[in-house]
Amino acid sequence: MKIAVNTRFLLNDYLEGYGYFLYETFKRITDNHPEHEFIFIFDRPYDQRFVFAPNVKHVVTGPAARHPLLWKLWYDIKVPIVLRKYKADVFVSCDGFCSLTTKVPQCIVIHDLAFLHYPSFVKKSHLLFYKRYTPKFLNKAKSVATVSEFSKQDILSHYKINGDKIDIVLSAAKKIFHPLNHEEKEAVRNKYTDGKEYFVYAGAIHPRKNLMNLLKAFSVFKKRQQSALKLVLAGRLAWKYESFTKSIKTYKYRNDVVLTGYLAEEELAKIIGAAYVLVYPSLFEGFGVPVLEAMRCGVPVITSASSSMQEIAKEAALYVAANDHTDIAAKMMRIYKDENLRKILIEKGEQVVQKYNWDRTAKLLWQSIQKAVLFQ
């Protein structure tokens, strides 16, 4: 079988979200199925580290698909040409998009429908594209994979689609995230926070991540606890970050807030591993990988009670009302004052995280790909 894969999110300069999912699943799928040929379709030059196995053929067909007009060109004109040329049996797309012009069966991965719930956090041109074409993509695809039961039910509640068409493949955290010893933690703290303990947030600096409420909560924490703990925000500046960075400049506790910018995965694992607590108050997530990354590191978690978070973290986290900064602050103070609670959350997190791994996700995605081929 010839399996074509949309690999435009395998980017050399950074891997996030879709890119990590692609990398981890197809590194395993190509290795587990040497009897099949894989055609990786890039929209720009690729890095050699994405040459996973001898059964992978790499094809570059531009232009780089970076906005709606180029998305239409790439998916509906350029990709079908490649599918015909290499006689693909199936096309897999892990970014929620697919080609509306090819007859080749397709398997798509939709991670979440955040654009429907928080439209103001999406560029207007992108939002119009998502709203117009997502139902078309769902109708066109032979199988649809998603990362949580929450996302599956969200899709079913907004679109007319047979639930049997949707497969839950989950997600996971890499083994590079693991507990650090005392010396390793101390080295990280000395590098980033002048040796002080810190709360950490990991992810893009984006309105949907609810960081303004996190800053407000941190203010309440600092005022009431008189603690030396700092707050580390580990992630790149994403869309609409300007108002956030402007607020930081006049923030009362700005000297206790560290913005790292984008970090290589190895450094991110250290930042999370040395943290006192991960605070992940995102307004909406289809899965929430940083929560599992923290649990793998033996770091307790405070996260939102909304969207998929309780489904993923179960009893191994403290949950907050994301829109209530006083609740976030209360949970930060609670875990700061209760060392026994912190230990309990770490122990429960170690149990929860064992249920998620990339081998399982790759296997489940492979089954969804096979479904697309079989049920034409």
Side-chain angles (χ1 to χ4, degrees):
M1 185 163 63
K2 293 185 178 181
I3 302 154
V5 185
N6 164 19
T7 49
R8 70 186 187 92
F9 278 94
L10 290 181
L11 301 172
N12 184 41
D13 49 352
Y14 66 84
L15 283 176
E16 289 182 335
Y18 299 157
Y20 279 131
F21 185 91
L22 262 171
Y23 185 89
E24 293 299 327
T25 54
F26 277 93
K27 186 169 63 173
R28 289 165 171 78
I29 289 173
T30 54
D31 184 59
N32 293 339
H33 299 281
E35 72 278 15
H36 298 299
E37 181 180 356
F38 295 83
I39 301 105
F40 282 10
I41 309 175
F42 292 87
D43 66 344
R44 66 200 80 186
Y46 60 88
D47 189 89
Q48 286 299 310
R49 67 188 170 118
F50 302 135
V51 181
F52 295 145
N55 58 331
V56 175
K57 183 184 295 293
H58 294 74
V59 178
V60 178
T61 180
R66 298 180 181 179
H67 59 74
L69 286 177
L70 291 178
W71 292 340
K72 284 293 291 177
L73 172 63
W74 199 73
Y75 285 94
D76 288 351
I77 297 177
K78 304 305 287 287
V79 166
I81 292 173
V82 175
L83 299 180
R84 287 195 298 271
K85 179 178 179 180
Y86 292 95
K87 299 179 180 179
D89 295 295
V90 63
F91 177 55
V92 185
S93 183
C94 295
D95 61 5
F97 297 172
C98 70
S99 174
L100 297 177
T101 58
T102 183
K103 293 182 179 180
V104 173
Q106 298 176 78
C107 169
I108 64 172
V109 181
I110 293 184
H111 295 259
D112 62 59
L113 298 178
F115 69 91
L116 288 179
H117 297 273
Y118 293 94
S120 63
F121 296 163
V122 183
K123 291 181 181 179
K124 188 174 181 179
S125 60
H126 291 44
L127 178 63
L128 292 173
F129 183 91
Y130 296 153
K131 285 187 172 182
R132 179 176 181 180
Y133 289 105
T134 295
K136 296 178 185 294
F137 296 150
L138 287 167
N139 181 61
K140 181 72 173 179
K142 296 298 181 182
S143 67
V144 176
T146 192
V147 292
S148 63
E149 178 66 31
F150 169 82
S151 285
K152 177 177 179 177
Q153 294 305 319
D154 202 27
I155 293 169
L156 290 173
S157 68
H158 286 92
Y159 300 106
K160 293 181 179 179
I161 177 174
N162 187 336
D164 293 338
K165 191 176 183 178
I166 305 176
D167 303 307
I168 300 172
V169 300
L170 303 174
S171 192
K174 293 184 180 181
K175 293 181 180 180
I176 193 173
F177 293 89
H178 59 79
L180 303 183
N181 60 40
H182 176 74
E183 291 74 18
E184 291 170 326
K185 290 181 179 179
E186 190 174 40
V188 175
R189 291 195 294 264
N190 287 336
K191 180 176 180 180
Y192 289 97
T193 59
D194 298 323
K196 303 294 193 302
E197 292 272 17
Y198 60 88
F199 295 106
V200 69
Y201 158 81
I205 309 301
H206 184 284
R208 180 160 61 92
K209 302 302 183 177
N210 199 31
L211 298 184
M212 290 304 296
N213 271 330
L214 177 55
L215 287 182
K216 292 177 182 178
F218 187 59
S219 291
V220 174
F221 173 87
K222 294 291 286 186
K223 182 178 180 180
R224 295 186 181 176
Q225 298 302 315
Q226 300 296 308
S227 169
L229 259 75
K230 292 182 179 288
L231 173 63
V232 174
L233 306 177
R236 68 181 176 90
L237 298 175
W239 190 61
K240 281 192 175 181
Y241 68 85
E242 295 88 352
S243 62
F244 178 79
T245 53
K246 184 178 180 180
S247 297
I248 285 287
K249 293 178 182 178
T250 57
Y251 182 60
K252 181 177 180 179
Y253 298 101
R254 59 187 175 278
N255 293 331
D256 290 318
V257 178
V258 178
L259 276 73
T260 67
Y262 176 79
L263 295 173
E265 197 173 38
E266 294 79 7
E267 195 67 10
L268 178 63
K270 293 177 183 177
I271 284 277
I272 293 178
Y276 185 73
V277 178
L278 173 83
V279 187
Y280 195 71
S282 179
L283 295 170
F284 192 92
E285 294 292 327
F287 189 85
V289 171
V291 168
L292 292 188
E293 292 171 344
M295 290 178 178
R296 280 195 61 88
C297 291
V299 173
V301 172
I302 297 172
T303 190
S304 309
S306 57
S307 61
S308 66
M309 307 312 298
Q310 292 191 66
E311 174 190 342
I312 303 306
K314 299 180 173 60
E315 296 180 355
L318 286 185
Y319 295 101
V320 299
N323 288 310
D324 184 355
H325 75 273
T326 60
D327 189 30
I328 300 172
K331 296 305 191 300
M332 293 168 75
M333 289 185 284
R334 181 182 173 190
I335 202 167
Y336 175 70
K337 292 186 287 187
D338 191 342
E339 188 62 29
N340 186 56
L341 171 62
R342 190 169 176 273
K343 290 179 180 178
I344 290 172
L345 290 176
I346 290 172
E347 291 172 359
K348 288 185 176 179
E350 290 172 348
Q351 296 170 11
V352 165
V353 80
Q354 297 304 315
K355 300 176 182 178
Y356 303 94
N357 64 79
W358 283 114
D359 291 332
R360 181 186 180 189
T361 297
K363 181 179 179 180
L364 292 172
L365 180 58
W366 176 249
Q367 292 173 358
S368 191
I369 294 169
Q370 289 181 305
K371 180 196 286 188
V373 178
L374 295 174
F375 297 99
Q376 296 186 45

